[in-house]
Amino acid sequence: LWVLNDLTNRRRREGLRGEWNERDWELHTDYTIWQSEDEKEEDQWKLTVQAGYYWEDYTVHGTYYNEDGGRDYRKRKDFPSVHYSFAKFKLENPYLTPFVNGYYEFVHIHSLIVETGVEKSFGFDELFGNESLKDFSLDLSVTLDGGHKRFINNCYMTEDAKTGLVCGEARAAIGWKANEHVNFSAFVAYTGLLNHRVRKDHVNQGDDLADWYDHDQFVYGGFMMAVEF
């Protein structure tokens, strides 16, 4: 379960109120397809898949300025929830871990989204040669996103985007494993649109949508906490 509460006054002005406006639900299972027989765990190669169902439930969309300068309230029916089936493949190894994630929206958009990239995690104990830092890590990743034209045009509100690559992101995070069940991390990421058609339409529609639609690239960051049972 993932929930979103928009606390930014700037985005309230552009259309989204500071309320709980999204809930995402996920149910998945993990399976190891293949694993090497190396004696040391850190030397092993492992091909895994995670498959499941993902539901983005939009609950509040606030007020928007219409063409006459008045304010319209976009009800939930104008932005229906979306439902995905997905499969995520990852080849874990001691060097650089590639991954491919595929999502298919099967209720409203009926289209495929694909994420692919690489990731690498470095333990602070290895980086700095200090065993006392073993609970800290540096996590790096690069991701490219693409999809079917129906999804691209629906998500970015374009009309003639083609199936293919849409955007990319580079991310760096510092993680801390506080105990067996709780993890914290702080991250910074750069993301940008790589599709010319989407970039042009995306930026030009900034007056009608939230403020982040005014930009084709931006840097953002944040803090996260995860609890595992």
Side-chain angles (χ1 to χ4, degrees), residues 116-208:
T116 185
V118 292
E119 60 186 20
K120 177 66 176 179
S121 182
F122 301 90
F124 272 30
D125 54 340
E126 299 176 359
L127 289 175
F128 301 105
N130 188 337
E131 182 64 22
S132 64
L133 299 176
K134 62 182 178 62
D135 294 327
F136 293 87
S137 64
L138 172 64
D139 307 309
L140 305 175
S141 66
V142 176
T143 305
L144 295 175
D145 293 358
H148 189 272
K149 61 183 179 182
R150 280 198 303 271
F151 174 82
I152 298 173
N153 288 320
N154 182 279
C155 180
Y156 294 98
M157 299 187 182
T158 57
E159 295 182 356
D160 57 355
K162 305 299 183 182
T163 298
L165 185 65
V166 181
C167 61
E169 179 177 283
R171 175 183 292 238
I174 293 178
W176 173 43
K177 186 176 180 61
N179 55 51
E180 184 179 355
H181 302 290
V182 181
N183 297 275
F184 296 92
S185 66
F187 73 92
V188 62
Y190 165 82
T191 186
L193 289 170
L194 304 175
N195 184 295
H196 173 73
R197 177 75 264 175
V198 174
R199 186 190 301 117
K200 180 180 178 181
D201 291 349
H202 185 282
V203 176
N204 288 341
Q205 294 194 47
D207 291 339
D208 186 49

Side-chain angles (χ1 to χ4, degrees), residues 3 21 40 62 79 85 95 98 107 136 138 157 159 169 187 191 213:
V3 293
N21 51 38
K40 296 182 179 179
F79 290 86
S85 57
Y95 309 106
V107 175
F136 293 87
L138 172 64
M157 299 187 182
E159 295 182 356
E169 179 177 283
F187 73 92
T191 186
Y213 269 87

Side-chain angles (χ1 to χ4, degrees), residues 1-123:
L1 172 63
W2 182 89
V3 293
L4 172 66
N5 185 2
D6 190 352
L7 301 176
T8 307
N9 284 327
R10 180 181 178 189
R11 293 196 70 201
R12 293 188 200 183
R13 174 180 62 80
E14 296 292 346
L16 293 176
R17 297 184 295 170
E19 300 180 11
W20 297 106
N21 51 38
E22 181 180 343
R23 291 189 298 265
D24 296 349
W25 307 81
E26 180 177 318
L27 180 66
H28 67 258
T29 183
D30 297 280
Y31 180 73
T32 299
I33 300 173
W34 169 81
Q35 182 172 340
S36 68
E37 298 180 354
D38 298 273
E39 294 184 2
K40 296 182 179 179
E41 183 177 354
E42 58 269 22
D43 295 333
Q44 290 181 350
W45 289 62
K46 183 188 299 184
L47 177 61
T48 63
V49 60
Q50 181 183 98
Y53 164 71
Y54 184 66
W55 171 28
E56 293 182 357
D57 182 24
Y58 303 113
T59 56
V60 175
H61 284 273
T63 54
Y64 291 76
Y65 291 101
N66 59 32
E67 294 179 357
D68 299 324
R71 296 176 70 84
D72 289 336
Y73 184 74
R74 298 280 182 88
K75 298 182 181 298
R76 184 174 180 173
K77 65 181 178 59
D78 297 317
F79 290 86
S81 299
V82 290
H83 304 260
Y84 299 97
S85 57
F86 67 85
K88 302 179 181 181
F89 295 88
K90 180 181 294 188
L91 181 59
E92 301 176 11
N93 62 80
Y95 309 106
L96 196 63
T97 299
F99 60 87
V100 177
N101 305 328
Y103 301 82
Y104 185 79
E105 205 293 321
F106 58 87
V107 175
H108 300 288
I109 310 174
H110 303 284
S111 61
L112 179 67
I113 315 152
V114 177
E115 300 174 339
T116 185
V118 292
E119 60 186 20
K120 177 66 176 179
S121 182
F122 301 90

